[in-house]
């Protein structure tokens, strides 16, 4: 999904480490929107997504963390060894950023 200069990606890291995602995307010139190391951005404000808005508008912070979300993860229970798959809906902050991008 291309959204106003940003892209919504689905990735499947082999090791399950978030730094793997951050480092590899930065290496190919596409750092995460909020990443103080690779993108040198600690916050994503409304004006970052919608530069067309008047300066007089309030400019709230939409995101102040790395925009990573594990929608599904499979692991083995440490005691039983049973394979478990856990799922989580998209968080409110990431959903809000997507709504702004799709509306823009």
């Amino acid at each position: 999904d291309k959204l106003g200069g940003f892209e919504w990606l689905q990735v499947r890291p082999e090791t399950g480490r978030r730094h793997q995602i951050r480092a590899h995307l930065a290496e190919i010139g596409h750092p995460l929107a909020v990443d103080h190391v690779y993108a040198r951005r600690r916050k994503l404000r409304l004006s970052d997504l919608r530069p067309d808005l008047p300066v007089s508008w309030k400019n709230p912070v939409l995101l102040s963390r790395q925009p990573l979300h594990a929608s599904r993860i499979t692991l083995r229970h440490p005691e039983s060894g049973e394979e478990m798959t856990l799922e989580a809906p998209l968080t409110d902050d990431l959903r809000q950023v997507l709504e702004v991008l799709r509306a823009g």
Side-chain angles (χ1 to χ4, degrees):
D1 246 355
K2 286 198 176 193
L3 304 159
F6 292 87
E7 287 198 47
W8 179 260
L9 301 175
Q10 181 177 21
V11 297
R12 291 192 169 104
E14 296 294 320
T15 64
R17 298 180 186 272
R18 71 180 179 178
H19 188 262
Q20 178 187 29
I21 298 167
R22 294 169 57 216
H24 287 288
L25 288 175
E27 178 70 25
I28 62 170
H30 300 285
L32 297 179
V34 179
D35 188 323
H36 72 281
V37 173
Y38 296 109
R40 293 189 170 44
R41 179 182 293 171
R42 293 183 181 274
K43 296 177 182 173
L44 189 66
R45 294 185 169 276
L46 181 58
S47 63
D48 296 324
L49 305 179
R50 299 286 310 275
D52 58 311
L53 294 176
V55 177
S56 61
W57 277 49
K58 291 184 178 177
N59 194 17
V61 172
L62 299 178
L63 197 59
S64 58
R65 66 175 182 90
Q66 294 167 359
L68 294 171
H69 175 75
S71 61
R72 184 176 337 137
I73 187 169
T74 301
L75 47 88
R76 294 210 176 273
H77 189 279
E79 293 182 15
S80 70
E82 177 186 357
E83 188 174 271
M84 303 170 54
T85 298
L86 307 169
E87 295 187 24
L90 194 60
T91 58
D92 289 341
D93 58 349
L94 292 179
R95 190 174 17 261
Q96 181 182 19
V97 168
L98 276 175
E99 288 173 8
V100 169
L101 286 168
R102 289 180 173 148

